Amino acid sequence: MNIGEKLNKKGDKIYFFYDLGRGPGQRPSTGVFIYANPQNQIQKNFNREALKILETKKSQLTIEQQAVGTPIIPAHKFKANFVEYFEDYIKLNKREGNRHLACCLTKFKAYIKSDFISPVDITENFCKRFRRHLLDTLTGETPANYYARFKWVVKAATKDGYFRNNPTEDIPAVRNPSAALKEHLESEEYVALLNTPCFNQQVKLAFLFSCYTGLRWVDVKRLEWQDLQGGTLITRIIQQKTGKPVVLTLHPIALAILEEIKQLSLSKTTSTNKVFSLPTANGANKVLGEWIKRAGVNKYVTWSCARLSFSILLKDKNVDDVTIAYLMGHTTTRQVQQTYKRHKPKDQSEAISHLPSFNIAGFL
């Protein structure tokens, strides 16, 4: 491994580079320099330390070249902090519209209560405890989704040489079904909400927009005018097969809501401005609760109910699962079939009326 040097234009500093050849890009900088003629002891000390760093960099690159074609991974290529490895993995594998990896890291940091953990501490027992933490603090599909992403990271780290055996291999991701079924809105309750005033008009219009589009709270919160084109909504969800965003055709009510927002916003409708001006999630749900009560809807409704209602009402009209899944931004129909479905009949009398009926007087 050769190290070249070059004097700068002023002639006061010497910069070092890797001499890998004479072709383009074969003389990258080492990022190290020394003073050509040190003027004082400070500069002399700086030169001495800089040359030590240069020698270390040269040694590391030499070891990397010698390790090519062998199963040996140089020690300096490893990160002592598994959190840093996790963060790098997210940067390299992040997908627009998919927050599970980033959210998993947040939960992971909260669990270890630190920004540092050594890979040697990521044992099978540690992974079991982390999965239990997710199950204790989250419900539904979320703990399974988060732990599955954690398994991805650990599997990648295992292949990169951080673990001899994958500590998560025998610990499957499991869901945590909620004991309480989420409420949803029926079509007549949609109408009741449309006709009931709310002291925060932005919250009312945003929630109804979610009811007619199936968007989550986070998606409505960050929705910008540039995401809307004519009668369609260009989502931030990218289709895996086509690489293009999911495009939703907007219901006339949703379009009317946008027109109402434009009137309320006046001149604040430039492309990068947010469509809705909303409070925090907790604040919005408090407003929502009071408005729901005023509309005479005797249900515990939160923002997530809008997405569930969207799916159920489409399903009631015999819209197929594939279409509903697409409209909700899912790549498969599994969520529609397992989560976003009607768990109890709207009218039991109507349901059982489809059974055979005849005069049973003679049989009694």
Side-chain angles (χ1 to χ4, degrees):
M1 168 56 61
N2 295 321
I3 299 291
E5 58 183 65
K6 183 179 179 181
L7 194 66
N8 69 346
K9 290 182 180 180
K10 287 186 177 181
D12 62 339
K13 295 177 182 177
I14 298 173
Y15 286 84
F16 296 94
F17 58 87
Y18 298 111
D19 190 356
L20 307 177
R22 294 295 180 267
Q26 290 189 317
R27 306 183 84 181
S29 172
T30 63
V32 178
F33 75 88
I34 61 173
Y35 292 98
N37 298 295
Q39 301 298 312
N40 50 48
Q41 190 60 43
I42 293 176
Q43 292 187 354
K44 289 179 181 179
N45 291 341
F46 176 89
N47 282 3
R48 185 161 51 251
E49 295 301 320
L51 290 173
K52 287 181 182 179
I53 293 172
L54 182 65
E55 187 61 32
T56 299
K57 285 177 174 273
K58 179 180 177 181
S59 300
Q60 288 178 344
L61 192 57
T62 301
I63 291 172
E64 287 179 31
Q65 290 181 331
Q66 291 176 345
V68 172
T70 75
I72 305 299
I73 301 175
H76 69 271
K77 298 293 286 184
F78 289 94
K79 293 186 182 296
N81 185 3
F82 185 74
V83 173
E84 290 183 5
Y85 182 90
F86 204 145
E87 291 170 341
D88 286 348
Y89 183 90
I90 291 175
K91 290 176 184 176
L92 295 172
N93 297 277
K94 187 176 180 180
R95 285 178 53 196
E96 188 67 32
N98 191 328
R99 298 176 295 275
H100 288 150
L101 267 174
C103 291
C104 177
L105 176 59
T106 301
K107 279 290 182 182
F108 183 74
K109 286 182 177 179
Y111 174 66
I112 63 175
K113 298 178 182 178
S114 172
D115 287 328
F116 180 92
I117 185 170
S118 172
V120 72
D121 293 323
I122 310 295
T123 63
E124 182 172 331
N125 282 332
F126 172 90
C127 296
K128 286 179 180 178
R129 293 194 298 271
F130 178 53
R131 184 183 67 170
R132 172 44 53 193
H133 170 74
L134 294 176
L135 290 169
D136 288 343
T137 56
L138 301 168
T139 60
E141 298 286 339
T142 306
N145 289 333
Y146 285 10
Y147 188 73
R149 299 315 185 272
F150 178 69
K151 285 171 67 75
W152 289 2
V153 178
V154 174
K155 183 177 181 180
T158 303
K159 290 189 175 182
D160 285 340
Y162 282 79
F163 308 106
R164 179 178 296 179
N165 297 307
N166 184 345
T168 67
E169 187 173 2
D170 297 326
I171 310 170
V174 293
R175 57 196 299 269
N176 185 19
S178 176
L181 297 177
K182 284 187 178 180
E183 295 279 14
H184 66 273
L185 299 170
E186 302 293 353
S187 55
E188 60 271 18
E189 291 167 336
Y190 269 47
V191 176
L193 291 175
L194 282 165
N195 292 328
T196 302
C198 176
F199 73 83
N200 188 322
Q201 187 72 349
Q202 291 280 344
V203 169
K204 173 181 178 177
L205 294 175
F207 180 75
L208 289 171
F209 191 79
S210 289
C211 288
Y212 280 93
T213 57
L215 293 183
R216 300 177 180 88
W217 158 259
V218 291
D219 298 320
V220 172
K221 176 82 171 175
R222 68 181 182 178
L223 185 66
E224 298 175 352
W225 287 106
Q226 64 184 355
D227 300 326
L228 301 160
Q229 295 181 11
T232 62
L233 167 60
I234 312 298
T235 72
R236 297 167 193 259
I237 302 164
I238 304 300
Q239 299 177 69
Q240 194 169 13
K241 289 185 178 180
T242 65
K244 296 180 179 179
V246 174
V247 179
L248 304 179
T249 300
L250 296 177
H251 188 278
I253 296 293
L255 293 173
I257 289 170
L258 294 177
E259 289 302 318
E260 178 70 15
I261 284 292
K262 285 180 181 178
Q263 294 180 18
L264 292 173
S265 303
L266 298 178
S267 61
K268 300 177 182 178
T269 57
T270 55
S271 62
T272 56
N273 279 349
K274 287 185 169 55
V275 175
F276 300 102
S277 178
L278 297 169
T280 63
N282 286 337
N285 277 323
K286 287 180 181 178
V287 174
L288 189 60
E290 294 179 14
W291 173 44
I292 293 291
K293 188 183 299 182
R294 192 177 296 116
V297 178
N298 188 25
K299 293 179 178 179
Y300 177 67
V301 175
T302 60
W303 210 281
S304 61
C305 298
R307 186 168 171 83
L308 177 60
S309 304
F310 176 81
S311 176
I312 287 175
L313 294 186
L314 290 179
K315 187 80 171 177
D316 285 352
K317 295 302 180 181
N318 297 318
V319 178
D320 62 273
D321 290 347
V322 173
T323 300
I324 296 175
Y326 174 85
L327 292 174
M328 300 182 75
H330 292 301
T331 55
T332 69
T333 60
R334 186 171 63 89
Q335 287 280 49
V336 174
Q337 294 167 348
Q338 293 184 359
T339 306
Y340 295 104
K341 65 178 183 178
R342 185 183 288 279
H343 293 280
K344 54 185 177 182
K346 178 181 178 181
D347 186 346
Q348 294 185 29
S349 298
E350 181 183 352
I352 63 174
S353 68
H354 295 291
L355 295 172
S357 179
F358 54 90
N359 188 352
I360 61 171
F363 297 91
L364 297 178

